[in-house]
Amino acid sequence: MKQQIYKGKPTEFHPLKIAKKQDLTKNSFSLEFEIPDELSELFSFEAGQFVSVLFEFNGENLINDYSMTSAPFEKKISLGIKINSEHSSASKLYQKYYEGDFLYVSKPSGRFTLISKPSEFRTIVGFAAGIGITPILSHFKNILHNEPRTRLFLFYGNKISQDLVYKNELNNLVKIYGERLQVFYFFSQEKTANHFFHGRLDEKKLSLIINQILHLDDTDEESTIWDAVDEVLICGKGEMIKSLANACYHHGIPKNNIHFELFEEFNDDIYPIEKEFPLIENIEVDFQILGKNFKTELSDNREKILQQLLMQNFPVPYSCKSGICGSCECFLEDGEVELLENEYLTEKEEAQGKILACMSIAKTKKIKLNFDFN
């Protein structure tokens, strides 16, 4: 077992053997790990979660997060990984490690998850772009296996058809569960026989999807399929998530039922800020991180706490700055803040005093934060 400080939180890594390595496309591959019996409980997981992988890159230890494509019932850890360039860390991972080699892997984590409801009739819609299909594939396999009354619709975008990963697995799922699963492929840089399937997945495409695909509901002649949607899953780059999440919300899906996973750093708010706050100036901030105590002053509360601390070059953990990843999770020990949006914390955690610094606005002249907790 190896322990590493990661994103401000201690993370344990365990050596796992690569049981299978497979090319998916010319710039993506999959890894499947062998889980020893003594680690089976530690590596149990929920659909939609990810693991962190620790490996050597350019003479230093590097940690990357990769979503699992496997479903919990499959009893294995499988990852889908995209190589963005020949000099990227993923390219190094592909070139250096083979079946039989060991990699340091963290236990699964992440909150891009859903509560299973096997006795209910549900409609779930997924939107994915590129390698963003990985956690949604995990979700869909899990739901199809455990929820016999749930129907699913997947809208999957890529630049060109050669970039499409897991097409065979998705098509096999359609063959097995065709009465409950429909998959639609979209390409932004390739001509399609039906122009409807050309272009990016965004708010304009969503309107067309609602009107032309999710319109007639055989189970209820008085409503549409979109009217029956219970949950929406979105995974891809930030701009896609922002566009689709807002479009789903404006088409009647509650924000609590729109779930997203970000695959890159994204500094914008997913939803526009609709609240106004009294101006507070010269805000005193005390905070603890990595066992050290810091004190500073924020000029005012026009910007969120994390962003202002980063501008002052403090070592505050973050990844997305959009309230999705939870890297900047901390305890509010004194003072008051307004948590604008939250895709990560539970109501119980909020009641305990946890906040996300990237989505919090100071409401008092003094605040005290603690980033150190397990």
Side-chain angles (χ1 to χ4, degrees):
M1 180 178 70
K2 186 167 184 175
Q3 193 168 30
Q4 180 87 6
I5 297 296
Y6 178 49
K7 294 182 180 178
K9 306 290 191 301
T11 302
E12 293 181 351
F13 292 85
H14 301 263
L16 298 183
K17 181 187 289 187
I18 300 173
K20 186 177 181 181
K21 178 183 177 183
Q22 183 178 1
D23 290 343
L24 299 175
T25 66
K26 66 178 182 180
N27 62 355
S28 62
F29 64 101
S30 65
L31 293 178
E32 181 180 319
F33 292 96
E34 182 179 300
I35 309 300
D37 291 340
E38 63 271 19
L39 295 179
S40 60
E41 184 175 348
L42 183 69
F43 279 90
S44 62
F45 62 94
E46 295 182 65
Q49 290 192 303
F50 64 87
V51 294
S52 300
V53 178
L54 170 66
F55 59 98
E56 184 272 333
F57 178 63
N58 290 341
E60 297 182 356
N61 284 336
L62 180 72
I63 302 169
N64 283 347
D65 297 337
Y66 297 113
S67 289
M68 291 175 284
T69 60
S70 46
F73 71 89
E74 295 179 301
K75 305 296 184 182
K76 63 182 181 181
I77 301 288
S78 297
L79 313 177
I81 302 172
K82 181 180 178 180
I83 301 173
N84 290 312
S85 74
E86 62 178 324
H87 303 295
S88 66
S89 58
S91 178
K92 179 77 171 184
L93 185 62
Y94 177 79
Q95 296 170 13
K96 185 175 180 180
Y97 294 92
Y98 297 89
E99 292 178 4
D101 291 339
F102 285 82
L103 278 168
Y104 281 105
V105 183
S106 75
K107 68 178 183 179
S109 60
R111 299 191 178 181
F112 184 54
T113 57
L114 290 177
I115 297 173
S116 183
K117 298 181 179 180
S119 61
E120 294 188 12
F121 291 92
R122 294 207 290 177
T123 299
I124 296 176
V125 174
F127 297 95
I131 201 65
I133 189 63
T134 49
I136 290 183
L137 178 58
S138 173
H139 270 299
F140 273 43
K141 287 193 291 186
N142 193 59
I143 293 167
L144 290 167
H145 181 77
N146 292 321
E147 300 187 26
R149 299 179 177 184
T150 297
R151 59 181 175 178
L152 301 105
F153 297 86
L154 173 63
F155 302 94
Y156 183 20
N158 284 274
K159 292 181 180 179
I160 58 177
S161 54
Q162 291 180 341
D163 291 340
L164 206 161
V165 294
Y166 296 107
K167 182 177 181 180
N168 290 338
E169 188 162 2
L170 288 169
N171 288 344
N172 286 335
L173 289 174
V174 171
K175 289 179 182 179
I176 298 171
Y177 300 101
E179 294 183 356
R180 295 196 291 124
L181 170 65
Q182 293 186 49
V183 178
F184 302 89
Y185 301 107
F186 296 79
F187 303 102
S188 61
Q189 298 181 13
E190 181 176 296
K191 291 184 178 180
T192 56
N194 184 340
H195 187 70
F196 180 89
F197 298 102
H198 176 74
R200 298 177 181 272
L201 292 171
D202 56 19
E203 70 277 4
K204 293 180 180 178
K205 190 65 73 174
L206 176 66
S207 294
L208 294 173
I209 288 171
I210 292 173
N211 291 327
Q212 298 186 40
I213 295 179
L214 302 179
H215 57 309
L216 299 177
D217 193 343
D218 295 334
T219 65
D220 185 352
E221 297 180 356
E222 296 183 359
S223 65
T224 66
I225 295 173
W226 182 256
D227 292 331
V229 171
D230 296 281
E231 309 286 348
V232 174
L233 300 167
I234 312 172
C235 188
K237 293 187 175 182
E239 287 299 334
M240 170 202 165
I241 292 175
K242 182 175 182 177
S243 176
L244 288 174
N246 280 277
C248 288
Y249 174 64
H250 291 308
H251 279 91
I253 307 297
K255 289 181 181 179
N256 288 341
N257 298 79
I258 304 171
H259 314 275
F260 32 82
E261 181 81 320
L262 192 65
F263 264 40
E264 61 175 14
E265 182 180 328
F266 187 62
N267 298 332
D268 290 351
D269 297 323
I270 297 298
Y271 299 110
I273 298 174
E274 300 175 347
K275 298 180 180 179
E276 294 184 2
F277 304 94
L279 178 65
I280 301 175
E281 297 181 322
N282 304 320
I283 303 164
E284 295 181 23
V285 182
D286 292 312
F287 63 99
Q288 177 180 318
I289 185 169
L290 299 177
K292 297 181 180 180
N293 294 313
F294 298 90
K295 183 187 292 287
T296 190
E297 183 176 284
L298 309 183
S299 57
D300 54 50
N301 65 341
R302 289 189 177 98
E303 293 289 337
K304 285 160 278 191
I305 295 169
L306 173 75
Q307 284 79 336
Q308 295 198 64
L309 293 178
L310 291 175
M311 284 190 288
Q312 296 185 31
N313 296 316
F314 286 109
V316 187
Y318 76 96
S319 179
C320 70
K321 298 183 185 178
S322 304
I324 300 173
C325 70
S327 298
C328 64
E329 178 185 6
C330 58
F331 275 105
L332 177 65
E333 296 185 342
D334 191 24
E336 294 183 23
V337 304
E338 181 76 22
L339 184 59
L340 299 175
E341 292 290 347
N342 169 35
E343 176 67 12
Y344 187 84
L345 297 173
T346 64
E347 291 183 3
K348 181 178 179 181
E349 287 170 329
E350 285 192 57
Q352 291 171 343
K354 290 185 179 181
I355 66 168
L356 300 176
C358 73
M359 296 303 295
S360 294
I361 297 287
K363 295 175 65 177
T364 52
K365 293 276 289 185
K366 293 183 179 181
I367 59 173
K368 184 176 181 181
L369 307 175
N370 189 344
F371 290 89
D372 288 346
F373 63 91
N374 292 324

